[in-house]
Every structure is written in C-alpha cells, then in structure tokens.
Amino acid sequence: AQVTKERTRRDVDDVWKHERNVRRSQSDMRPVLLKGHERPLTFLKYNKEGDLLFTCAKDHTPTVWYSDSGQRVGTYKGHIGSVWSCDVSEDSTRLITASGDQTVRLWDVESGQEHHKFEYRQPCRCVTFSLGEKYAIVSLDPFMGSASSVDMLRIAEDPAEQTSEVVRTFSGHSGRVTRCVFGPCNKTILTVGEDGCIRQTDTETGALLKLVEAHERPIGDLKISKDGTCFITASQDKYAKLWDIDTLECLKEYNTERPVNACDISPLMDHVLVGGGQEASQVTLTGSRAGKFESKFYHKIFCDELGAVKGHFGPVNAVAYHPDGRSFASGGEDGYVRVHHMDADYFALK
C-alpha cells in the first residue's frame, strides 16, 4: 500500500510538471497582439536593428511599435487615404510612406514630424529607399487615363533642402505595380504587379533588361533575401516562388493551395514564410478554418511545409521576419498585428 501511495504521488508530480512545461511552452509561443489600427493591415516593416516595427493600414495612420513588448511608440498623422507601404532608413531616422491619397510623405521617425510631401495625380502604391537612401522609388497606380509607372525620387541629406524632383520614370506594366525594389548596388530595379510579370530595369538608362511571366495571377508581394542573392514573390495563383536576383531564374516553387498575399525569407534558417487566405470579399461566407487564414512555413530548399501559425480571423495581408530571424510579425484583414517569438521547437526544424 505504501509503494502504491508513493507511485501515485510520483505520478501526480509528473503530471503536474508536464502541465507546467506545456503551459510554459504555450506562453513562449503566445503572440504579442498589437491593436492600434481600425482597418485592415497592408504592410509591415522592421527597422535594421529590429527593435522597431512599422505598420501600415487602410486607416490612414502609419504606426511604430517596440517589437519585443508590443508597446505603441507613436503614429504619423497627415495622410487622408489608405497607406499601402513604407520604408525606414538604415539609421532609423527617416520614414517614407505611400498612400492612396496621391501622396508620398517623408517623416522624422523620432518626432513624427513630416519633412516633405510628394504630391501626385495618381494613388501611390509602393515606396522603397535605395541602398544609402540617396534615392527612393514609388509606384503609381493607373488612374483617370494615366498608366501605371514607377518614379525615382532624389532624397536630400538635409530635410530642409528636400524637393519633389523626379530623377527618372519607368513604365511597362499593365495594371498596378504592387512592389518595386532596388536590385544589388542600386544598379537595377525589380517590379512586379497585377499582370503577373517580373521586370528588371536598368536604373541609369531605364532600359528593360529582363521580363519574366512569373505567375498566372496578380503578384502581391516581393521580398529580397538578407544576402541579396535571391527574392521571393507571392501571388493569387496560390504559389510563392523563389528567384535568382540576377538571372530571374525560378529556383523553387511553394504550392500553398490558397491565395498568397505576403511572403518573406528567413535571415537565419532555410525557411520561407507566406501568408494569405481566401479573398476578403468571401470572408463573411466562411470560417477561419475553411478560409486558411494562417501564416505557413516552408523549407526553402526542399519546399516541404514545416508548419502553420493560426490566429487571424481573415486573410493575412502582410508578414515580415525580424532581422535576427527569431520572431516574425503578421498583419491581417482583422486589423490586428501578431508578433510571434519562436520557441525551441521551431529551431529544431530542419
């Protein structure tokens, strides 16, 4: 009877320890929930160090947060339309945003003061700094008979000397240009859009270097790897694809079985991250399970699905890895940003 009693006590202790470990594991993976936007998220961007997370949404107000705690640092007020994208300088002093209100705005990160407003006659979709931040490129939506285009802007070192000078204009896509980025050493510009094509253009001459019909449906996102050798695209055709940044050769394909809105490449592991789900217009007709509103991980080389993280009630519109690769953020149609810090199990994935 004494042995049985001791064994029972030991079993209870083991169960208690197991439940404690499970709770601890669950708390490690519990996301930090950022609620500061009133409308769907459109874009996420970490600064170089990763301590700040910048978020854009359809509610007109770009917001900056501490990425580890989720505390809101401040907002940038001035836009009167949906803010579609942003970029931050390497020293985290300047922020640039593109909006449907037909403006691109340059901000002081710390004070929130607007340095300059670039005004257009077309909605602005995507904006990106060049390496060194001497230039920025902005994509303009087709509007009132004007075709889509990409403008290269000169960025002054002194905000007081900033002008709206356009250095060069690039064109060629049919439909919206959803993403535009500078290639290696700012020698090329990569653009993707609703026509499903990738265009590689010479920055100096504006000549088209390469054109690839990459996807069967619109491309919504493009991210370059940390080492700058490849990039990934996300499309409504349910595929994310990995490309060589120089040759535009398709290296890998990831079949997600649902529309893909956003993607990123891990700076630490051989992983890629994708987010998406059923189109927003159909969200009210389905549950979160059927809509597949998850962020999914795939092995970059073998293309195997490694896992999924649920939580958003609606399509995932934006994803971004932290620069150290140990956490990631996702932004959804539900208006929430979720920051996930990886647990030990994630780093065991091969």
Side-chain angles (χ1 to χ4, degrees):
Q2 183 67 26
V3 173
T4 303
K5 186 179 295 184
E6 288 181 359
R7 182 179 299 166
T8 302
R9 187 180 299 116
R10 192 181 305 119
D11 291 343
V12 170
D13 288 343
D14 289 343
V15 170
W16 181 83
K17 289 178 182 177
H18 172 72
E19 291 178 348
R20 182 186 63 185
N21 291 335
V22 168
R23 286 196 299 271
R24 184 177 299 164
S25 174
Q26 289 175 340
S27 66
D28 289 342
M29 274 300 289
R30 184 176 299 155
V32 179
L33 205 60
L34 313 185
K35 179 57 177 174
H37 291 286
E38 299 175 354
R39 298 202 57 205
L41 272 294
T42 57
F43 195 79
L44 305 175
K45 178 71 179 183
Y46 283 98
N47 67 337
K48 184 179 180 181
E49 291 78 15
D51 59 324
L52 299 177
L53 175 63
F54 297 85
T55 60
C56 300
K58 295 181 180 180
D59 61 3
H60 314 170
T61 310
T63 303
V64 59
W65 318 74
Y66 286 125
S67 63
D68 56 348
S69 65
Q71 178 184 350
R72 182 162 58 177
V73 181
T75 58
Y76 302 90
K77 296 186 177 180
H79 284 295
I80 56 173
S82 299
V83 182
W84 293 110
S85 72
C86 69
D87 200 6
V88 60
S89 61
E90 289 205 2
D91 60 3
S92 301
T93 60
R94 291 183 292 181
L95 176 73
I96 193 167
T97 55
S99 171
D101 65 6
Q102 303 180 349
T103 67
V104 170
R105 303 186 190 222
L106 195 62
W107 311 84
D108 180 88
V109 167
E110 185 177 5
S111 68
Q113 178 184 355
E114 182 183 303
H115 284 325
H116 189 77
K117 179 169 66 173
F118 302 87
E119 297 186 85
Y120 287 93
R121 295 184 177 181
Q122 299 165 252
C124 305
R125 178 68 47 172
C126 179
V127 66
T128 311
F129 280 124
S130 66
L131 181 65
E133 289 106 34
K134 291 185 178 180
Y135 301 95
I137 48 176
V138 55
S139 66
L140 307 175
D141 287 353
F143 184 71
M144 298 292 288
S146 299
S148 62
S149 62
V150 175
D151 277 3
M152 185 162 73
L153 310 172
R154 193 182 305 277
I155 305 297
E157 288 189 25
D158 184 354
E161 299 177 357
Q162 183 64 55
T163 67
S164 296
E165 177 189 358
V166 176
V167 179
R168 190 165 288 106
T169 298
F170 309 90
S171 59
H173 281 279
S174 59
R176 293 173 180 161
V177 177
T178 52
R179 289 289 178 264
C180 55
V181 296
F182 283 93
C185 302
N186 298 334
K187 292 182 178 179
T188 59
I189 290 175
L190 296 170
T191 55
V192 297
E194 290 183 334
D195 56 8
C197 295
I198 304 172
R199 297 175 67 92
Q200 184 189 68
T201 307
D202 186 281
T203 308
E204 290 293 330
T205 65
L208 178 64
L209 302 177
K210 291 184 177 67
L211 171 63
V212 176
E213 295 181 1
H215 290 273
E216 296 179 359
R217 296 200 63 197
I219 301 173
D221 200 9
L222 180 156
K223 296 282 179 58
I224 298 178
S225 64
K226 185 177 182 179
D227 61 10
T229 60
C230 59
F231 64 93
I232 189 171
T233 55
S235 172
Q236 294 295 305
D237 66 4
K238 304 181 181 180
Y239 279 88
K241 296 184 180 183
L242 191 70
W243 306 85
D244 183 276
I245 201 165
D246 292 321
T247 65
L248 299 193
E249 175 189 357
C250 184
L251 304 175
K252 300 292 176 180
E253 296 185 356
Y254 312 96
N255 184 2
T256 68
E257 300 180 351
R258 46 86 186 270
V260 190
N261 299 331
C263 57
D264 204 358
I265 302 173
S266 171
L268 181 64
M269 309 281 283
D270 281 331
H271 297 169
V272 300
L273 172 66
V274 301
Q278 194 173 14
E279 294 181 11
S281 60
Q282 299 296 319
V283 169
T284 55
L285 305 180
T286 186
S288 60
R289 191 185 189 101
K292 300 181 179 180
F293 308 138
E294 308 123 331
S295 300
K296 287 190 174 185
F297 300 93
Y298 289 84
H299 196 283
K300 185 169 71 172
I301 308 301
F302 303 114
C303 305
D304 298 328
E305 183 181 331
L306 301 175
V309 177
K310 300 179 181 180
H312 286 287
F313 187 76
V316 178
N317 294 335
V319 295
Y321 267 110
H322 189 283
D324 67 7
R326 297 184 177 277
S327 62
F328 78 95
S330 60
E333 193 76 14
D334 55 10
Y336 284 93
V337 178
R338 303 171 71 89
V339 178
H340 297 265
H341 296 275
M342 310 299 194
D343 60 8
D345 292 339
Y346 171 79
F347 300 103
L349 295 173
K350 301 296 182 182

